[in-house]
Amino acid sequence: MAEHKIQVRSKPLVQMMSSNEMGKNSNKKLDSKPGAEGPKKPLISEIKSTPIIASNVKATTEKSQRPPYILKCRSEETGEKVILAEILLRNVLFAKDIEIYVGEDRILLTTKSSSYSLDIFLPHLINQEKTVAEFSKENKVLMLEMPMKQ
């Protein structure tokens, strides 16, 4: 497997909400376009190491657990705003075990082993085509970088 280079950014982060603050909103719907094709490259790439930030949030203890996660907002130098999601998946070994759908305002995540299930609504609309995901095999953290729609 090829090594991945990680750039450390020193931009301020603003925590938007954590899994403890999320409620269910059944009025929102997934963006489902018939015939829409997915990205050409894999949605989730594996990386060697990342810091664990989501470790202070506790998951539920059902058969299919809701993993702990944190949502943050970051402003790029271009003025573009990005939502960052960090999801702790302690029982996942490889990125291929993660099934994820990123809608215009929603994230749906399950694992092939059914260890985890997550359905969260985002506070802003995002650009699905520019969304990037990385999974740290060492720290078991899935990181999503989702640019907001202008």
Side-chain angles (χ1 to χ4, degrees), residues 21-46:
E21 299 166 346
M22 294 299 292
K24 293 186 178 179
N25 185 347
S26 60
N27 294 333
K28 295 191 177 186
K29 295 182 180 179
L30 289 174
D31 181 29
S32 58
K33 297 176 185 172
E37 294 189 24
K40 304 269 187 240
K41 61 181 182 175
L43 178 63
I44 304 171
S45 60
E46 290 181 354

PDB file of all heavy atoms in Angstrom, residues 21-46:
ATOM      1  N   GLU A  21     -25.489  16.069  20.814  1.00  0.00           N
ATOM      2  CA  GLU A  21     -26.393  17.173  20.532  1.00  0.00           C
ATOM      3  C   GLU A  21     -27.329  16.896  19.367  1.00  0.00           C
ATOM      4  O   GLU A  21     -28.187  17.686  19.057  1.00  0.00           O
ATOM      5  CB  GLU A  21     -25.570  18.426  20.218  1.00  0.00           C
ATOM      6  CG  GLU A  21     -24.687  18.846  21.367  1.00  0.00           C
ATOM      7  CD  GLU A  21     -23.640  19.855  20.930  1.00  0.00           C
ATOM      8  OE1 GLU A  21     -23.423  20.025  19.716  1.00  0.00           O
ATOM      9  OE2 GLU A  21     -23.041  20.468  21.805  1.00  0.00           O
ATOM     10  N   MET A  22     -27.141  15.792  18.690  1.00  0.00           N
ATOM     11  CA  MET A  22     -27.913  15.528  17.483  1.00  0.00           C
ATOM     12  C   MET A  22     -29.287  14.949  17.821  1.00  0.00           C
ATOM     13  O   MET A  22     -29.396  14.054  18.638  1.00  0.00           O
ATOM     14  CB  MET A  22     -27.177  14.546  16.574  1.00  0.00           C
ATOM     15  CG  MET A  22     -25.889  15.098  16.005  1.00  0.00           C
ATOM     16  SD  MET A  22     -26.126  16.551  14.989  1.00  0.00           S
ATOM     17  CE  MET A  22     -26.995  15.819  13.625  1.00  0.00           C
ATOM     18  N   GLY A  23     -30.289  15.449  17.168  1.00  0.00           N
ATOM     19  CA  GLY A  23     -31.632  14.909  17.297  1.00  0.00           C
ATOM     20  C   GLY A  23     -32.036  14.289  15.985  1.00  0.00           C
ATOM     21  O   GLY A  23     -31.313  14.349  15.003  1.00  0.00           O
ATOM     22  N   LYS A  24     -33.177  13.699  15.960  1.00  0.00           N
ATOM     23  CA  LYS A  24     -33.651  13.094  14.719  1.00  0.00           C
ATOM     24  C   LYS A  24     -34.586  14.078  14.041  1.00  0.00           C
ATOM     25  O   LYS A  24     -35.423  14.694  14.667  1.00  0.00           O
ATOM     26  CB  LYS A  24     -34.356  11.770  14.992  1.00  0.00           C
ATOM     27  CG  LYS A  24     -33.413  10.723  15.507  1.00  0.00           C
ATOM     28  CD  LYS A  24     -34.090   9.405  15.622  1.00  0.00           C
ATOM     29  CE  LYS A  24     -33.083   8.373  16.108  1.00  0.00           C
ATOM     30  NZ  LYS A  24     -33.672   7.085  16.274  1.00  0.00           N
ATOM     31  N   ASN A  25     -34.425  14.222  12.746  1.00  0.00           N
ATOM     32  CA  ASN A  25     -35.267  15.111  11.961  1.00  0.00           C
ATOM     33  C   ASN A  25     -35.770  14.311  10.771  1.00  0.00           C
ATOM     34  O   ASN A  25     -35.056  14.094   9.824  1.00  0.00           O
ATOM     35  CB  ASN A  25     -34.461  16.323  11.504  1.00  0.00           C
ATOM     36  CG  ASN A  25     -35.335  17.322  10.795  1.00  0.00           C
ATOM     37  OD1 ASN A  25     -36.473  17.029  10.437  1.00  0.00           O
ATOM     38  ND2 ASN A  25     -34.807  18.508  10.580  1.00  0.00           N
ATOM     39  N   SER A  26     -37.007  13.867  10.845  1.00  0.00           N
ATOM     40  CA  SER A  26     -37.552  13.005   9.799  1.00  0.00           C
ATOM     41  C   SER A  26     -38.053  13.787   8.596  1.00  0.00           C
ATOM     42  O   SER A  26     -38.474  13.204   7.617  1.00  0.00           O
ATOM     43  CB  SER A  26     -38.680  12.148  10.372  1.00  0.00           C
ATOM     44  OG  SER A  26     -39.698  12.990  10.868  1.00  0.00           O
ATOM     45  N   ASN A  27     -38.033  15.128   8.644  1.00  0.00           N
ATOM     46  CA  ASN A  27     -38.516  15.928   7.530  1.00  0.00           C
ATOM     47  C   ASN A  27     -37.501  16.026   6.395  1.00  0.00           C
ATOM     48  O   ASN A  27     -37.862  16.345   5.286  1.00  0.00           O
ATOM     49  CB  ASN A  27     -38.872  17.339   8.000  1.00  0.00           C
ATOM     50  CG  ASN A  27     -40.042  17.310   8.953  1.00  0.00           C
ATOM     51  OD1 ASN A  27     -40.864  16.418   8.892  1.00  0.00           O
ATOM     52  ND2 ASN A  27     -40.102  18.288   9.844  1.00  0.00           N
ATOM     53  N   LYS A  28     -36.230  15.798   6.666  1.00  0.00           N
ATOM     54  CA  LYS A  28     -35.213  15.920   5.631  1.00  0.00           C
ATOM     55  C   LYS A  28     -35.122  14.633   4.835  1.00  0.00           C
ATOM     56  O   LYS A  28     -35.320  13.560   5.345  1.00  0.00           O
ATOM     57  CB  LYS A  28     -33.858  16.245   6.264  1.00  0.00           C
ATOM     58  CG  LYS A  28     -33.872  17.588   6.936  1.00  0.00           C
ATOM     59  CD  LYS A  28     -32.504  18.013   7.322  1.00  0.00           C
ATOM     60  CE  LYS A  28     -32.532  19.387   7.934  1.00  0.00           C
ATOM     61  NZ  LYS A  28     -31.240  19.896   8.198  1.00  0.00           N
ATOM     62  N   LYS A  29     -34.779  14.761   3.559  1.00  0.00           N
ATOM     63  CA  LYS A  29     -34.702  13.600   2.690  1.00  0.00           C
ATOM     64  C   LYS A  29     -33.341  13.542   2.033  1.00  0.00           C
ATOM     65  O   LYS A  29     -32.669  14.550   1.871  1.00  0.00           O
ATOM     66  CB  LYS A  29     -35.787  13.671   1.624  1.00  0.00           C
ATOM     67  CG  LYS A  29     -37.182  13.592   2.211  1.00  0.00           C
ATOM     68  CD  LYS A  29     -38.222  13.611   1.143  1.00  0.00           C
ATOM     69  CE  LYS A  29     -39.599  13.524   1.787  1.00  0.00           C
ATOM     70  NZ  LYS A  29     -40.661  13.555   0.829  1.00  0.00           N
ATOM     71  N   LEU A  30     -32.959  12.348   1.619  1.00  0.00           N
ATOM     72  CA  LEU A  30     -31.700  12.164   0.907  1.00  0.00           C
ATOM     73  C   LEU A  30     -31.816  12.704  -0.508  1.00  0.00           C
ATOM     74  O   LEU A  30     -32.876  12.680  -1.111  1.00  0.00           O
ATOM     75  CB  LEU A  30     -31.323  10.678   0.838  1.00  0.00           C
ATOM     76  CG  LEU A  30     -30.892  10.049   2.124  1.00  0.00           C
ATOM     77  CD1 LEU A  30     -30.689   8.557   1.913  1.00  0.00           C
ATOM     78  CD2 LEU A  30     -29.613  10.667   2.627  1.00  0.00           C
ATOM     79  N   ASP A  31     -30.698  13.176  -1.025  1.00  0.00           N
ATOM     80  CA  ASP A  31     -30.637  13.613  -2.409  1.00  0.00           C
ATOM     81  C   ASP A  31     -30.448  12.374  -3.265  1.00  0.00           C
ATOM     82  O   ASP A  31     -29.374  11.812  -3.306  1.00  0.00           O
ATOM     83  CB  ASP A  31     -29.481  14.590  -2.580  1.00  0.00           C
ATOM     84  CG  ASP A  31     -29.399  15.101  -4.000  1.00  0.00           C
ATOM     85  OD1 ASP A  31     -30.435  15.183  -4.678  1.00  0.00           O
ATOM     86  OD2 ASP A  31     -28.287  15.434  -4.418  1.00  0.00           O
ATOM     87  N   SER A  32     -31.479  11.910  -3.915  1.00  0.00           N
ATOM     88  CA  SER A  32     -31.376  10.700  -4.731  1.00  0.00           C
ATOM     89  C   SER A  32     -31.738  11.033  -6.160  1.00  0.00           C
ATOM     90  O   SER A  32     -32.884  11.300  -6.477  1.00  0.00           O
ATOM     91  CB  SER A  32     -32.282   9.604  -4.180  1.00  0.00           C
ATOM     92  OG  SER A  32     -33.610  10.060  -4.135  1.00  0.00           O
ATOM     93  N   LYS A  33     -30.727  11.035  -7.009  1.00  0.00           N
ATOM     94  CA  LYS A  33     -30.934  11.342  -8.413  1.00  0.00           C
ATOM     95  C   LYS A  33     -30.818  10.053  -9.198  1.00  0.00           C
ATOM     96  O   LYS A  33     -29.785   9.400  -9.151  1.00  0.00           O
ATOM     97  CB  LYS A  33     -29.898  12.348  -8.886  1.00  0.00           C
ATOM     98  CG  LYS A  33     -30.006  13.674  -8.174  1.00  0.00           C
ATOM     99  CD  LYS A  33     -28.901  14.610  -8.602  1.00  0.00           C
ATOM    100  CE  LYS A  33     -28.962  15.879  -7.788  1.00  0.00           C
ATOM    101  NZ  LYS A  33     -27.827  16.739  -8.004  1.00  0.00           N
ATOM    102  N   PRO A  34     -31.863   9.638  -9.910  1.00  0.00           N
ATOM    103  CA  PRO A  34     -31.782   8.406 -10.685  1.00  0.00           C
ATOM    104  C   PRO A  34     -30.697   8.516 -11.748  1.00  0.00           C
ATOM    105  O   PRO A  34     -30.569   9.527 -12.405  1.00  0.00           O
ATOM    106  CB  PRO A  34     -33.159   8.267 -11.322  1.00  0.00           C
ATOM    107  CG  PRO A  34     -33.965   9.426 -10.884  1.00  0.00           C
ATOM    108  CD  PRO A  34     -33.128  10.306 -10.033  1.00  0.00           C
ATOM    109  N   GLY A  35     -29.903   7.463 -11.874  1.00  0.00           N
ATOM    110  CA  GLY A  35     -28.870   7.416 -12.885  1.00  0.00           C
ATOM    111  C   GLY A  35     -27.610   8.174 -12.534  1.00  0.00           C
ATOM    112  O   GLY A  35     -26.688   8.237 -13.313  1.00  0.00           O
ATOM    113  N   ALA A  36     -27.565   8.811 -11.351  1.00  0.00           N
ATOM    114  CA  ALA A  36     -26.357   9.554 -10.970  1.00  0.00           C
ATOM    115  C   ALA A  36     -25.245   8.569 -10.672  1.00  0.00           C
ATOM    116  O   ALA A  36     -25.430   7.605  -9.956  1.00  0.00           O
ATOM    117  CB  ALA A  36     -26.645  10.418  -9.747  1.00  0.00           C
ATOM    118  N   GLU A  37     -24.101   8.828 -11.236  1.00  0.00           N
ATOM    119  CA  GLU A  37     -22.976   7.935 -11.025  1.00  0.00           C
ATOM    120  C   GLU A  37     -22.110   8.457  -9.895  1.00  0.00           C
ATOM    121  O   GLU A  37     -21.990   9.651  -9.694  1.00  0.00           O
ATOM    122  CB  GLU A  37     -22.153   7.821 -12.304  1.00  0.00           C
ATOM    123  CG  GLU A  37     -22.943   7.138 -13.410  1.00  0.00           C
ATOM    124  CD  GLU A  37     -22.077   6.826 -14.608  1.00  0.00           C
ATOM    125  OE1 GLU A  37     -20.856   6.707 -14.443  1.00  0.00           O
ATOM    126  OE2 GLU A  37     -22.634   6.694 -15.689  1.00  0.00           O
ATOM    127  N   GLY A  38     -21.479   7.537  -9.168  1.00  0.00           N
ATOM    128  CA  GLY A  38     -20.619   7.894  -8.052  1.00  0.00           C
ATOM    129  C   GLY A  38     -19.287   8.435  -8.521  1.00  0.00           C
ATOM    130  O   GLY A  38     -19.017   8.542  -9.713  1.00  0.00           O
ATOM    131  N   PRO A  39     -18.422   8.782  -7.563  1.00  0.00           N
ATOM    132  CA  PRO A  39     -17.116   9.330  -7.918  1.00  0.00           C
ATOM    133  C   PRO A  39     -16.257   8.286  -8.608  1.00  0.00           C
ATOM    134  O   PRO A  39     -16.430   7.093  -8.422  1.00  0.00           O
ATOM    135  CB  PRO A  39     -16.530   9.725  -6.559  1.00  0.00           C
ATOM    136  CG  PRO A  39     -17.297   8.949  -5.553  1.00  0.00           C
ATOM    137  CD  PRO A  39     -18.642   8.668  -6.148  1.00  0.00           C
ATOM    138  N   LYS A  40     -15.335   8.750  -9.417  1.00  0.00           N
ATOM    139  CA  LYS A  40     -14.456   7.863 -10.174  1.00  0.00           C
ATOM    140  C   LYS A  40     -13.429   7.180  -9.272  1.00  0.00           C
ATOM    141  O   LYS A  40     -13.058   6.055  -9.485  1.00  0.00           O
ATOM    142  CB  LYS A  40     -13.724   8.657 -11.259  1.00  0.00           C
ATOM    143  CG  LYS A  40     -14.662   9.394 -12.177  1.00  0.00           C
ATOM    144  CD  LYS A  40     -15.037   8.558 -13.367  1.00  0.00           C
ATOM    145  CE  LYS A  40     -15.824   9.375 -14.342  1.00  0.00           C
ATOM    146  NZ  LYS A  40     -17.109   8.932 -14.640  1.00  0.00           N
ATOM    147  N   LYS A  41     -12.964   7.888  -8.215  1.00  0.00           N
ATOM    148  CA  LYS A  41     -11.997   7.302  -7.298  1.00  0.00           C
ATOM    149  C   LYS A  41     -12.733   6.768  -6.068  1.00  0.00           C
ATOM    150  O   LYS A  41     -13.883   7.124  -5.840  1.00  0.00           O
ATOM    151  CB  LYS A  41     -10.957   8.342  -6.889  1.00  0.00           C
ATOM    152  CG  LYS A  41     -11.544   9.536  -6.160  1.00  0.00           C
ATOM    153  CD  LYS A  41     -10.472  10.525  -5.807  1.00  0.00           C
ATOM    154  CE  LYS A  41     -11.091  11.689  -5.036  1.00  0.00           C
ATOM    155  NZ  LYS A  41     -10.136  12.628  -4.555  1.00  0.00           N
ATOM    156  N   PRO A  42     -12.100   5.911  -5.275  1.00  0.00           N
ATOM    157  CA  PRO A  42     -12.766   5.396  -4.078  1.00  0.00           C
ATOM    158  C   PRO A  42     -13.150   6.540  -3.144  1.00  0.00           C
ATOM    159  O   PRO A  42     -12.399   7.499  -2.998  1.00  0.00           O
ATOM    160  CB  PRO A  42     -11.709   4.503  -3.423  1.00  0.00           C
ATOM    161  CG  PRO A  42     -10.654   4.302  -4.441  1.00  0.00           C
ATOM    162  CD  PRO A  42     -10.762   5.396  -5.435  1.00  0.00           C
ATOM    163  N   LEU A  43     -14.313   6.425  -2.527  1.00  0.00           N
ATOM    164  CA  LEU A  43     -14.776   7.473  -1.619  1.00  0.00           C
ATOM    165  C   LEU A  43     -13.916   7.548  -0.370  1.00  0.00           C
ATOM    166  O   LEU A  43     -13.623   8.621   0.120  1.00  0.00           O
ATOM    167  CB  LEU A  43     -16.240   7.220  -1.225  1.00  0.00           C
ATOM    168  CG  LEU A  43     -16.833   8.219  -0.233  1.00  0.00           C
ATOM    169  CD1 LEU A  43     -16.866   9.611  -0.840  1.00  0.00           C
ATOM    170  CD2 LEU A  43     -18.212   7.799   0.186  1.00  0.00           C
ATOM    171  N   ILE A  44     -13.470   6.401   0.130  1.00  0.00           N
ATOM    172  CA  ILE A  44     -12.690   6.380   1.365  1.00  0.00           C
ATOM    173  C   ILE A  44     -11.296   5.860   1.043  1.00  0.00           C
ATOM    174  O   ILE A  44     -11.134   4.765   0.536  1.00  0.00           O
ATOM    175  CB  ILE A  44     -13.334   5.472   2.423  1.00  0.00           C
ATOM    176  CG1 ILE A  44     -14.775   5.901   2.699  1.00  0.00           C
ATOM    177  CG2 ILE A  44     -12.521   5.490   3.708  1.00  0.00           C
ATOM    178  CD1 ILE A  44     -15.547   4.939   3.558  1.00  0.00           C
ATOM    179  N   SER A  45     -10.285   6.655   1.351  1.00  0.00           N
ATOM    180  CA  SER A  45      -8.912   6.186   1.200  1.00  0.00           C
ATOM    181  C   SER A  45      -8.343   5.920   2.585  1.00  0.00           C
ATOM    182  O   SER A  45      -8.709   6.577   3.552  1.00  0.00           O
ATOM    183  CB  SER A  45      -8.061   7.220   0.459  1.00  0.00           C
ATOM    184  OG  SER A  45      -8.049   8.438   1.169  1.00  0.00           O
ATOM    185  N   GLU A  46      -7.465   4.923   2.681  1.00  0.00           N
ATOM    186  CA  GLU A  46      -6.865   4.588   3.968  1.00  0.00           C
ATOM    187  C   GLU A  46      -5.586   5.390   4.152  1.00  0.00           C
ATOM    188  O   GLU A  46      -4.816   5.576   3.222  1.00  0.00           O
ATOM    189  CB  GLU A  46      -6.553   3.094   4.046  1.00  0.00           C
ATOM    190  CG  GLU A  46      -7.797   2.262   4.128  1.00  0.00           C
ATOM    191  CD  GLU A  46      -7.510   0.773   4.227  1.00  0.00           C
ATOM    192  OE1 GLU A  46      -6.336   0.372   4.128  1.00  0.00           O
ATOM    193  OE2 GLU A  46      -8.472   0.019   4.384  1.00  0.00           O
TER     194      GLU A  46
END
